[in-house]
Amino acid sequence: MNIMAPRGTNDLLPPLSLHWQYVENIARQVFANYNYQEIRTPIFEYTELFQRGIGEVTDIVEKEMYTFTDKSGRSITLRPENTASVVRSFLENKIYGQPQPNKYFYLGPMFRYERPQAGRFRQFYQLGIEALGSNDPAIDAEVINLGLNLLKELGLTGLEVYINSIGCPDCRAEYIKVLQEYLMSRKGELCSDCQNRLNKNPLRVLDCKDKSCAGLLQTAPKIIDYLCIDCQDHFEKVKEYLTVVKVDFIVEPMLVRGLDYYTHTAFEIKYNKLGAQDTIFAGGRYNGLAEEIGGRSIPGVGFALGLERLMLTIAEQGISLPVEEGIDLFIASIGEDAKKAAFTYVHSLRDAGFRAEIDYLARSVKSQLKTADRFKARFTIVLGEDELKKGTARIKNMETGEQAEICLTELVEKMAEKAEKRG
Ligand code: ATP
Ligand code: MG
């Protein structure tokens, strides 16, 4: 067979899947501490949701979406991100009628047709949060702080927090005009994509990764100098709240993010040893999104974190996650009667909450014990005719080599004693 997984996708196999589970469990705990609850939206949505929500003139909508027509002729898109869906769901389920704010987290695969490289895939996993229904700058700071605390829980260090304010539609309009004039005057120095963006969406130029554009931006006008009083005030308060919880940050005036729906706060958390794809999580406030997709005005703020990049950072920083690998007991057996006994005992052990395993390939005792090693069994016993007759067997501690004779009817109790000793 030479059918392979599609380019830009990954199989997640054990033991790495255990590491992912560990990270996801820590994330769930942190989300619970901050009172964020899980939301699960469909993996595909009607294409309009992303076209209108993310914005027509964005990389995602222009070139990265997995869009197809279903059998009824509707245009469907695999979600490239989850914020638009969460806001759609909030509107559709009329959650705005409930007390606010409502705080959600999500975790799942996203799809973007990008050029696969380190830290960039076509199916990738994001976990993220969205706080809807409050305009309080304290929530902007909470969102950033939650993400940082999650990374701290996992033992990460050396992260950089970049923040900016991209204003509201009112003050941004003025800035966009000035920016456009500046960029027009240097049009020849822009990459061809940005020359196109110049008329349709000049703000996108700030997000361009092309070197020539980046150089030009050093002397470009900065949005921070054009913020209206309300936007300035919001940004000041976000910074104050971040300071209160001792988050160090760098104000990065060219940070705009690649999605159109952001307003006010925008942020990116980076680990600079990751290479070109160094942003672990990013987000901001998106007060315009709900209206953009046809609903009422609902303020919101959130982030999305790339799990593959997080796992890369964990590896890069040499952090070994305390995953529980291995099984408690392997029961090897010789002969059909002993196999049946082993099969019964292994089930009782599993019922009692132990990780237990037997052989399913009629192997010799020697290779059964090799299997036990491969499964990282903490204890093994071997059942043969003798053991069945006597009703006892020797249990071996695989780490110390210690052996003890135990009564088979007491197997579960003995394992419970050993588990206590371990804990
Ligand atoms: P980038 O600048 O890296 O393209 P982005 O601005 O497109 O990121 P968002 O849409 O805000 O990123 O997504 C949030 C996070 O999701 C990113 O910071 C990153 O960790 C992760 N991410 C985004 N695109 C991909 C991808 N194609 N593969 C893996 N992770 C991704
Ligand atoms: Mg991108």
Side-chain angles (χ1 to χ4, degrees), residues 189-227:
E189 295 165 58
L190 292 171
C191 73
S192 59
D193 273 352
C194 282
Q195 296 196 1
N196 289 329
R197 288 173 182 140
L198 202 47
N199 291 316
K200 293 187 280 181
N201 195 345
L203 218 50
R204 282 279 68 77
V205 177
L206 302 190
D207 201 37
C208 183
K209 300 199 166 76
D210 192 286
K211 282 221 167 59
S212 61
C213 298
L216 196 60
L217 293 173
Q218 310 249 306
T219 48
K222 297 182 169 56
I223 192 158
I224 228 129
D225 300 325
Y226 292 84
L227 296 180

Side-chain angles (χ1 to χ4, degrees), residues 166-178 223 226-231 262-264 288:
I166 54 171
C168 61
D170 291 343
C171 56
R172 202 183 315 161
E174 170 67 15
Y175 170 70
I176 288 174
K177 232 168 51 198
V178 181
I223 192 158
Y226 292 84
L227 296 180
C228 62
I229 300 286
D230 284 353
C231 287
Y262 286 111
T263 57
H264 303 278

Side-chain angles (χ1 to χ4, degrees), residues 12-213:
L12 180 59
L13 299 166
L16 205 57
S17 51
L18 298 179
H19 295 199
W20 279 61
Q21 278 175 11
Y22 175 82
V23 168
E24 290 167 7
N25 288 339
I26 295 281
R28 285 174 191 278
Q29 277 166 28
V30 174
F31 294 146
N33 292 348
Y34 283 75
N35 193 28
Y36 285 73
Q37 289 175 321
E38 183 165 15
I39 181 169
R40 297 189 193 191
T41 61
I43 291 209
F44 59 86
E45 298 266 3
Y46 292 127
T47 302
E48 304 90 273
L49 174 68
F50 303 118
Q51 279 170 339
R52 289 166 57 182
I54 297 170
E56 293 278 3
V57 190
T58 56
D59 279 356
I60 293 180
V61 172
E62 279 185 330
K63 28 184 197 193
E64 297 174 2
M65 294 207 301
Y66 277 92
T67 299
F68 61 95
T69 311
D70 72 7
K71 292 192 195 304
S72 74
R74 287 287 315 235
S75 180
I76 297 288
T77 294
L78 300 185
R79 60 183 189 194
E81 57 98 59
N82 213 349
T83 306
S85 306
V86 171
V87 173
R88 194 245 337 117
S89 171
F90 188 89
L91 292 167
E92 190 171 334
N93 294 290
K94 301 193 172 58
I95 311 293
Y96 47 75
Q98 298 174 13
Q100 303 301 328
N102 281 273
K103 307 203 289 186
Y104 302 104
F105 79 85
Y106 61 80
L107 199 165
M110 307 296 154
F111 306 85
R112 295 185 195 176
Y113 191 78
E114 299 205 68
R115 193 169 69 76
Q117 52 199 293
R120 194 178 291 290
F121 306 98
R122 291 181 173 171
Q123 172 172 328
F124 59 98
Y125 282 78
Q126 281 188 339
L127 60 81
I129 58 170
E130 314 291 354
L132 296 170
S134 165
N135 215 353
D136 187 343
I139 295 208
D140 305 38
E142 169 180 294
V143 162
I144 297 172
N145 194 36
L146 184 160
L148 288 171
N149 275 343
L150 166 56
L151 302 184
K152 210 176 353 169
E153 277 301 308
L154 293 168
L156 297 191
T157 52
L159 304 161
E160 287 163 348
V161 180
Y162 296 91
I163 61 168
N164 192 22
S165 171
I166 54 171
C168 61
D170 291 343
C171 56
R172 202 183 315 161
E174 170 67 15
Y175 170 70
I176 288 174
K177 232 168 51 198
V178 181
L179 177 69
Q180 202 165 27
E181 274 164 25
Y182 168 82
L183 294 174
M184 280 294 190
S185 71
R186 321 247 326 233
K187 191 171 174 181
E189 295 165 58
L190 292 171
C191 73
S192 59
D193 273 352
C194 282
Q195 296 196 1
N196 289 329
R197 288 173 182 140
L198 202 47
N199 291 316
K200 293 187 280 181
N201 195 345
L203 218 50
R204 282 279 68 77
V205 177
L206 302 190
D207 201 37
C208 183
K209 300 199 166 76
D210 192 286
K211 282 221 167 59
S212 61
C213 298

